[in-house]
Amino acid sequence: MRAARLIKMVLLLQSRPSMTAGELARELEVSERTITRDAQALSEAGIPVYANRGRSGGYQLVGGYRTRLTGLARGEAEALFLSGVPGALREMGLDDISSAARLKVSAALLPSLRDAPDTAAQRFHLDAPGWYHEPQTPELLPVLAEAVWDDRVVAARYRREDQEVERELAPYGLVLKAGVWYVCAGTESTVRVYRIDRFTAVETSQERFTRDDSFDLPAFWEERAAEFARSLLRTEIEVRLSPEGARRLPYVVDRAAAGAAIEAAAPADEEGRITLTLPVESEEVAYTQLLALGPDAEVLGPQTLRRRFAEAAARMDGLYG
């Protein structure tokens, strides 16, 4: 415990010209008396810690005692600190490790680049969850994250519809999508995607799995996400759109499906409207989505959906007519 604190104290002093005992005490969560003892211990161990007395005094390293990262331009240093996702790291239980790593990198940077962490943080922030949804951190996420890092096999129970299933999984990687955590995990035959909030139990084994070096997590996720989106579109509707409706369609339905449907549509009629066949999840979902287009979309079929829009239009006319 003390050894880790002494190392962190050295790194803090490397990253700043000087720090008072109070500042060090707050950073290290100890008393100022402990800081005095630690500084003396470092000095006795050969670390050149020097104490300036007086009101504006403080501790500093002398004699150029520092490790530097050379060859980094300012843009490269700032990009390095953009690579962290503090919220996600915290949820995975890696906050302390990340903080220590960032401190080590800061301490090793040239003095002219010391402000890179601050300039990056002031200019970029990632807020992963979608609007109007309170993010929930799955209770078992830290356990799975540790298994992912160590390539450990896990025995897991998972809710699927109205039953629980047991699986022995090799967790390859974690994905945070719109505030929801997923784990891409392999069985004997394939790699599948599991929502972490549906796990009811996870036990980490001492057994390690052999990671497939050819597995590409970003490519795998992109392929599975596109496949999942396509699998939801089980119904087709026919719709006639104004130019404005065609422009806004990708913003209210599946973007890829809308783009393909518009591209395959026949030329516009004399009113400038195009008629297209659009794959949707269901008539209910299509009704909710296309209402957002108002009079810029006319549903031609199926007739059950067209009648719903006609009834909605009549109700609207009763309110505003």
Side-chain angles (χ1 to χ4, degrees):
M1 182 71 174
R2 191 190 184 199
R5 187 176 71 245
L6 291 174
I7 292 172
K8 189 172 183 180
M9 182 173 174
V10 173
L11 292 172
L12 284 168
L13 292 174
Q14 280 188 200
S15 65
R16 305 177 195 181
S18 177
M19 293 184 71
T20 66
E23 290 171 337
L24 285 167
R26 284 191 295 274
E27 287 280 355
L28 299 175
E29 299 180 347
V30 294
S31 68
E32 292 187 23
R33 181 174 296 181
T34 299
I35 294 298
T36 301
R37 288 198 297 265
D38 285 352
Q40 183 177 352
L42 288 171
S43 181
E44 292 173 353
I47 308 298
V49 178
Y50 177 74
N52 286 318
R53 304 298 178 184
R55 181 177 299 177
S56 59
Y59 291 94
Q60 65 183 63
L61 291 173
V62 296
Y65 188 90
R66 63 183 77 255
T67 302
R68 292 177 175 174
L69 290 179
T70 58
L72 278 180
R74 170 165 292 278
E76 294 169 330
E78 290 172 347
L80 179 64
F81 284 96
L82 284 179
S83 63
V85 187
L89 291 170
R90 183 173 56 253
E91 292 180 6
M92 287 189 290
L94 301 175
D95 193 28
D96 290 341
I97 296 174
S98 170
S99 175
R102 289 166 66 88
L103 182 60
K104 288 179 181 179
V105 174
S106 296
L109 287 174
L110 292 168
S112 61
L113 301 179
R114 291 282 165 74
D115 63 341
D118 294 330
T119 57
Q122 291 165 359
R123 288 163 173 80
F124 180 81
H125 174 68
L126 175 64
D127 185 7
W131 289 103
Y132 314 119
H133 295 283
E134 187 68 26
Q136 298 290 333
T137 302
E139 182 180 348
L140 296 172
L141 174 60
V143 179
L144 282 166
E146 186 175 352
V148 168
W149 283 114
D150 290 344
D151 293 340
R152 298 277 187 180
V153 175
V154 299
R157 290 204 305 272
Y158 184 81
R159 289 195 311 273
R160 187 163 60 182
E161 296 178 353
D162 58 347
Q163 61 179 344
E164 279 193 3
V165 296
E166 295 185 3
R167 293 285 186 270
E168 188 173 88
L169 300 172
Y172 271 77
L174 300 170
V175 176
L176 176 61
K177 169 72 171 178
V180 179
W181 282 96
Y182 299 86
V183 60
C184 302
T187 59
E188 291 183 359
S189 57
T190 186
V191 177
R192 300 180 184 275
V193 177
Y194 301 85
R195 276 187 61 145
I196 294 180
D197 58 7
R198 293 180 182 169
F199 282 93
T200 58
V202 175
E203 184 175 342
T204 305
S205 167
Q206 294 301 311
E207 177 189 355
R208 281 189 164 91
F209 64 90
T210 302
R211 182 176 289 270
D212 183 355
D213 292 336
S214 65
F215 179 78
D216 184 333
L217 179 60
F220 171 83
W221 177 261
E222 183 178 1
E223 180 183 344
R224 288 296 186 275
E227 183 181 295
F228 175 73
R230 289 193 300 269
S231 71
L232 294 177
L233 308 180
R234 304 185 182 95
T235 303
E236 288 187 343
I237 65 170
E238 190 175 7
V239 61
R240 184 167 171 258
L241 300 171
S242 70
E244 176 64 13
R247 185 189 70 81
R248 292 168 51 200
L249 184 66
Y251 297 97
V252 299
V253 300
D254 181 82
R255 184 177 293 272
I262 291 172
E263 187 175 342
D269 58 23
E270 63 276 5
E271 296 180 14
R273 291 179 173 256
I274 59 172
T275 299
L276 51 83
T277 300
L278 179 69
V280 294
E281 187 173 343
S282 66
E283 288 189 24
E284 183 66 34
V285 171
Y287 174 75
T288 302
Q289 292 171 330
L290 294 181
L291 274 177
L293 299 182
D296 289 305
E298 178 190 0
V299 173
L300 303 178
Q303 286 301 309
T304 51
L305 184 58
R306 181 177 173 85
R307 282 195 295 271
R308 286 196 67 178
F309 274 92
E311 292 167 0
R315 294 199 304 272
M316 292 286 284
D317 183 62
L319 291 173
Y320 297 103

